[in-house]
Amino acid sequence: MAKKNFLVDIDLNKNELQNVVLQNLAAAPGSAKSGQIWYDTTNNLVYFYNGSSAVPVGYLPPATATTLGGVKIGANVNVAADGTISINTASNTQTGVIRIATDNEASAGTAETIAVNPKQLAAAIASAQVGALIYKGSWDITNATDFSGITLPVKQGYMYMVTGTGPKTIGGIEWNPGDYIVMDSDVPVGGTITNVSKIDNTEASDIVRLAATQTLTNKTIDADDNTITDLETDNFKSGVIVTSVGSTGADTSIPTEKAVRSAITTATAGMVTVNGTQTLTNKTIDADDNTIQDLGVANFKNGVVRTSTDGVRLPAAASDTALITEKAASSFFTTKISVANPALTASSGVCTWTVSNTIGTADVIASVREASTGNEVMCDITYGAANITIKMNSTSNISAGIYKVIVIG
């Protein structure tokens, strides 16, 4: 389907938009804009974009304590014809309203249709934690001399990861970053931690840190993840750095600065440096590889550049071997008409403005604009060789000079 793109807002000035069909789409448009509307041909609904999602017209937002909206009814909620809502009671095969379990029922933990309260849930969690290791965070040993950096109270099974700078001997045990300290007994607030165990992170404590020169054999170092610095030319494999450039270079070797300079000196030996004006006879200069600068009209061969004094018009058989000057090109264009509107009288909601077409042909282009702002306005325009007729919707008369029309042939 043919279409015309508008890159500006369209103000219809309260005129009707009749026989309009919304854009038909099988899915929401990409990069939709707030307020955009369309017709969904898949589910036959009209949608609009609210700034974050596509919403069907007539859609109610989810209801909240402060927002009037729609409520989605689940399978276990019944709605009577008068709007009365009732909820199914839960059973083993059907979810719905549930009751709070007694302490005995919560302890047994066998019922599937009753719920536990927070107190019962906390008791169940505490019971399940007996004999379990529970990760509680980290313990920084950088400045530690005892276990006071661990927040009390603690319970048996609480576990902390050792961080900071080590090794440190505390409580007769050597601690390294990456070890874990485990509480072997409960300690209340105000108590002192003394009974602990250690889970040794052997990798952190036993890893060898290389301080001297090392030789790597058959190893690949990924320079994207590692930094290689202070490379010298003698660090490269033999044959990679070359001190002379041969007639056929290789992509597996790198020449030194001196080798490149020597090759350039050899290649340019005997070349003539041209200074001043030179005359080239029967020579071809490739402008793709050479720069030709400061050309003027007089530098072209006689007859290549045609000027306005040559009487240049637009011939029926123009030549691709001739150029024209700017002034000569301006002679191609015909006269322009620029006319302001006279006082216009409204009739049946329309003001009609007739403009004399002095160009003498209907094959012209007309643009109507506001005289004060230069903004273009869309009108009903009929083109004729003698006159151009412009109609504007208006229930009142239009004063002279409000609009102007520009006609170009």
Side-chain angles (χ1 to χ4, degrees), residues 269-341:
M271 292 184 63
V272 177
T273 302
V274 177
N275 294 310
T277 302
Q278 301 294 323
T279 301
L280 302 180
T281 305
N282 295 325
K283 298 293 188 296
T284 299
I285 299 178
D286 186 348
D288 289 336
D289 299 319
N290 299 278
T291 300
I292 305 173
Q293 300 176 333
D294 298 327
L295 283 177
V297 172
N299 294 122
F300 287 85
K301 183 179 179 180
N302 185 34
V304 172
V305 178
R306 303 180 65 189
T307 68
S308 58
T309 58
D310 298 323
V312 175
R313 297 294 295 167
L314 202 59
S319 172
D320 278 334
T321 60
L323 306 176
I324 58 173
T325 62
E326 177 184 14
K327 185 175 181 180
S330 66
S331 65
F332 292 169
F333 302 99
T334 56
T335 306
K336 176 185 72 175
I337 302 172
S338 179
V339 182
N341 73 284

Side-chain angles (χ1 to χ4, degrees), residues 20 24 51-52 61 81 83 90 142 145 181 258 275-276 298 319 333 346 355 392 400:
V20 175
N24 282 223
S52 60
T142 302
T145 58
I181 180 172
K258 185 176 180 180
N275 294 310
S319 172
F333 302 99
V355 179
M392 307 176 183

Side-chain angles (χ1 to χ4, degrees), residues 101-112 114 116 120 123-124 127:
T102 65
D103 289 346
N104 289 335
E105 289 172 332
S107 178
T110 58
E112 296 179 350
I114 54 179
V116 295
Q120 294 166 341
S127 176

